[in-house]
Amino acid sequence: MDRPVGEKSSGAPTIVEVDLGNRSYPTDIGSGLLDQPELLQKHVHGKKVIVVTNTTIAPLYLDKVVEALTKGNPAVSVEYVILPDGEKFKDMDTLMKVFDKAIESRLDRRFTFVALGGGVIGDMCGFAAASFLHGVNFIQIPTTVMAQVDSSVGGKTGINHPLGKNLIGAFYQPQCVLIDTDTLDTLPDRELASGLAEVIKYGLIRDAEFFEWQEKNMEKLIARNPNALAYAIKRSCENKAEVVSLDEKESGLRATLNLGHTFGHAIETGFGYGQCLHGEAVAAGTVMAVDMSYRLGWIDSSIVKRVDDILPRAKLPTASPETMTVEMFKSVMALDKKVADGLLRLILLKGPLGNCVFTGQEDYNRLRPLSYCGADVFILAFSLISKASYENVSKKWIPELKHYAPGVPIILVGTKHDLREDKQFFIDHPGAVPISTAQGEELQKLIGSPAYIECSAKTQENVKAVFDAAIKVVLQPPKQKKKKSKAQNACTIL
Ligand SMILES: NC(=O)c1ccc[n+]([C@@H]2O[C@H](COP(=O)([O-])OP(=O)(O)OC[C@H]3O[C@@H](n4cnc5c(N)ncnc54)[C@H](O)[C@@H]3O)[C@@H](O)[C@H]2O)c1
């Protein structure tokens, strides 16, 4: 720790500069900064300010901010808009309230928006500033750990769409970020922990030394030790500022800040905004990304263990909520904004602690088999009418499943129509059970493990027999089979 930035005082702030040429700006960090009016006032443009905040933060800090803006500065008039509190209000309707206020106040471009609150307020107010009259001045006063270590720095602004998080937005930099660490005194414990997910992220993706520091100091962070918190905020802002300076518009490097976020966004969206805190979703998503990195052979197990150890110490989850299904992940992730040309790109760890990569096409091919892990049984369904489907099953899927999940039983599912024509296939693959697509889907639901179903016919026969077969396979894998007649072979797996 190089400097006690967190000690309660009204001393000079620690400044982390976001270096963006003529759009560079300072991030002032310290205790009692809202008691130093000049820090805010020097960044105000024009004579009018609109503070954007919410119903929770307004009673706590609005007066203080208004005072900081106006003390010794009577020429400035301050208005405010108080939005409902919560991620579920990070939407177009709520954003309109900010525009309504600005338009009612008859503002020209020379005024300043001030975002007073957590990441939701910061993102929304920033987007209002980016789009109102094609861009006006704005200042960030973040009041959560999440906002102080991440969202207020770097100029990513926006709102959610019902189909996906943060899908509408703009890159738009503030005039300054003022982090008064005293505001964290009123932050609920769960919100504090949520912000720590992003602190941990910096350590994992680019700052191993910081991660080691966190391993030594996590209990201090959770206990709100001011020095520890201030150091974590400063170091996080330094990391974020460096990344943003190198890649402001996320053409590459900046995307690495999204470790765990692709899964996390799916959890947040799948769950309904506001049910699972952003940092909690990111923490669960980080575990998934780290797990994938390990299974790909990119990191060693000690990193997995360190992540599994530190997250609970930070009071963060290590698994996604049980009600999240694979289908929920898939449908939401498909919409994730990092889907480019139909390819879902993920940030994964690779190499020693503190290194990560952005996955590409080759990695994607290697990632697919990861979904096989943990399956009790595979159900391969195919159309017996289509030779291509037959080829696909026999030449691609069976070898792949056997390679990546040796020993896991496979049930082949086909339609009856061409049994005569394809009987050789069933002789080659004892255990094949003819059923329909609908039946296969029923099975998939029942077993809850990955099943790959491609079948053209829609008959409803044999459902019970196939259910029974699959359950038996799961509970009691078949022994080595004796030589049987062709007819019996079709049911060997039973
Ligand atoms: N722009 C970015 O780069 C970026 C990065 C990370 C997260 N985000 C976004 O940030 C949002 C999450 O931010 P968040 O975790 O700050 O959530 P939040 O803004 O909803 O704040 C969390 C809760 O704490 C309350 N609160 C805030 N400050 C308080 C204080 N000092 N005392 C008491 N209560 C206080 C809020 O009213 C709210 O109820 C998400 O929408 C996420 O997408 C954006």
Side-chain angles (χ1 to χ4, degrees):
M1 214 183 280
D2 46 334
R3 199 174 155 191
V5 281
E7 246 143 47
K8 301 259 172 184
S9 71
S10 293
T14 298
I15 300 172
V16 175
E17 189 78 10
V18 182
D19 182 5
L20 289 168
N22 60 6
R23 289 175 301 115
S24 297
Y25 57 92
T27 300
D28 295 344
I29 307 165
S31 167
L33 299 194
L34 284 175
D35 299 320
Q36 301 180 49
E38 68 285 359
L39 292 177
L40 266 185
Q41 289 180 11
K42 66 183 172 194
H43 295 291
V44 168
H45 280 196
K47 302 261 176 267
K48 281 194 173 172
V49 175
I50 293 189
V51 180
V52 179
T53 188
N54 73 21
T55 48
T56 306
I57 301 153
L60 296 169
Y61 300 110
L62 183 56
D63 287 350
K64 201 165 191 155
V65 168
V66 172
E67 168 139 1
L69 286 162
T70 52
K71 195 170 178 185
N73 195 18
V76 161
S77 75
V78 181
E79 299 192 43
Y80 49 83
V81 49
I82 300 176
L83 303 176
D85 183 5
E87 182 77 35
K88 65 175 181 290
F89 297 107
K90 189 178 164 182
D91 62 7
M92 200 56 95
D93 286 350
T94 313
L95 182 69
M96 278 300 159
K97 294 186 200 304
V98 180
F99 293 136
D100 291 349
K101 182 75 194 175
I103 293 164
E104 279 162 18
S105 305
R106 298 179 188 283
L107 297 172
D108 59 20
R109 295 192 73 248
R110 277 193 57 79
F111 84 103
T112 301
F113 272 126
V114 171
L116 171 65
V120 169
I121 288 292
D123 281 13
M124 273 203 294
C125 178
F127 188 43
S131 43
F132 187 66
L133 300 177
H134 308 104
V136 297
N137 188 46
F138 95 109
I139 293 171
Q140 289 267 21
I141 306 182
T143 60
T144 61
V145 173
M146 173 67 66
Q148 295 186 354
V149 302
D150 194 347
S151 64
S152 67
V153 178
K156 226 189 215 186
T157 71
I159 56 172
N160 300 328
H161 185 277
L163 291 177
K165 238 186 99 63
N166 295 333
L167 289 177
I168 303 159
F171 288 104
Y172 195 69
Q173 303 297 340
Q175 208 64 24
C176 83
V177 180
L178 188 125
I179 299 176
D180 187 332
T181 51
D182 295 353
T183 57
L184 298 182
D185 291 350
T186 52
L187 191 68
D189 289 343
R190 192 173 161 205
E191 297 292 349
L192 183 111
S194 173
L196 294 177
E198 306 285 6
V199 174
I200 292 168
K201 166 193 81 182
Y202 292 118
L204 289 173
I205 60 167
R206 67 191 315 272
D207 193 346
E209 198 185 290
F210 186 28
F211 189 86
E212 280 154 21
W213 178 88
Q214 292 166 32
E215 289 180 311
K216 293 194 191 101
N217 291 279
M218 189 48 76
E219 279 65 37
K220 283 191 188 162
L221 288 174
I222 285 292
R224 296 166 190 256
N225 175 298
N227 285 341
L229 271 176
Y231 178 74
I233 292 164
K234 171 180 165 282
R235 188 86 175 229
S236 299
C237 287
E238 284 167 350
N239 273 294
K240 177 99 187 238
E242 200 176 308
V243 171
V244 169
S245 300
L246 293 168
D247 177 23
E248 183 188 3
K249 302 244 165 110
E250 199 168 308
S251 49
L253 179 69
R254 185 166 180 169
T256 62
L257 296 172
N258 293 329
L259 176 76
H261 284 57
T262 302
F263 299 111
H265 285 172
I267 295 170
E268 279 182 273
T269 310
F271 239 62
Y273 297 130
Q275 300 303 306
C276 182
L277 299 185
H278 178 68
E280 292 170 346
V282 166
T286 298
V287 172
M288 294 171 82
V290 169
D291 183 51
M292 271 185 144
S293 313
Y294 172 66
R295 288 174 195 234
L296 279 165
W298 287 354
I299 55 171
D300 67 41
S301 58
S302 67
I303 297 181
V304 181
K305 183 167 181 330
R306 289 169 80 177
V307 173
D308 283 347
D309 285 348
I310 202 165
L311 289 173
R313 287 174 62 205
K315 313 282 181 224
L316 286 165
T318 52
S320 63
E322 275 175 11
T323 42
M324 275 301 286
T325 62
V326 173
E327 286 314 314
M328 285 163 84
F329 272 109
K330 276 199 207 155
S331 66
V332 180
M333 284 167 75
L335 260 178
D336 193 283
K337 60 187 178 297
K338 284 174 287 302
V339 176
D341 298 329
L343 177 68
L344 183 67
R345 309 195 77 197
L346 297 167
I347 315 315
L348 299 181
L349 302 184
K350 193 168 188 177
L353 187 72
N355 292 281
C356 65
V357 288
F358 203 29
T359 55
Q361 179 64 55
E362 331 74 67
D363 306 316
Y364 186 69
N365 292 340
R366 296 186 66 207
L367 283 171
R368 184 160 45 82
L370 295 177
S371 62
Y372 308 153
C373 296
D376 297 314
V377 60
F378 294 112
I379 301 165
L380 281 180
F382 63 102
S383 163
L384 291 170
I385 304 165
S386 151
K387 207 75 187 162
S389 171
Y390 168 99
E391 297 268 308
N392 202 20
V393 166
S394 58
K395 299 214 169 101
K396 177 182 167 199
W397 288 106
I398 290 177
E400 184 164 307
L401 289 175
K402 285 193 166 161
H403 176 77
Y404 287 105
V408 177
I410 300 168
I411 298 179
L412 297 171
V413 177
T415 60
K416 277 182 169 177
H417 314 289
D418 285 13
L419 267 182
R420 279 162 304 142
E421 230 180 88
D422 286 273
K423 61 187 169 200
Q424 187 57 43
F425 180 81
F426 284 85
I427 294 164
D428 292 343
H429 301 99
V433 180
I435 61 156
S436 68
T437 303
Q439 291 161 345
E441 282 166 357
E442 284 298 316
L443 262 179
Q444 188 177 15
K445 278 190 213 140
L446 181 81
I447 296 169
S449 66
Y452 298 88
I453 295 167
E454 273 188 42
C455 192
S456 56
K458 296 270 179 200
T459 59
Q460 287 292 332
E461 296 163 15
N462 279 339
V463 176
K464 184 161 185 327
V466 180
F467 276 142
D468 291 347
I471 290 165
K472 275 187 197 162
V473 167
V474 175
L475 297 179
Q476 204 177 54
K479 299 199 180 75
Q480 203 55 40
K481 294 167 279 296
K482 293 188 204 119
K483 194 116 178 94
K484 290 186 178 166
S485 73
K486 286 173 192 170
Q488 281 174 308
N489 269 330
C491 303
T492 311
I493 210 158
L494 295 164

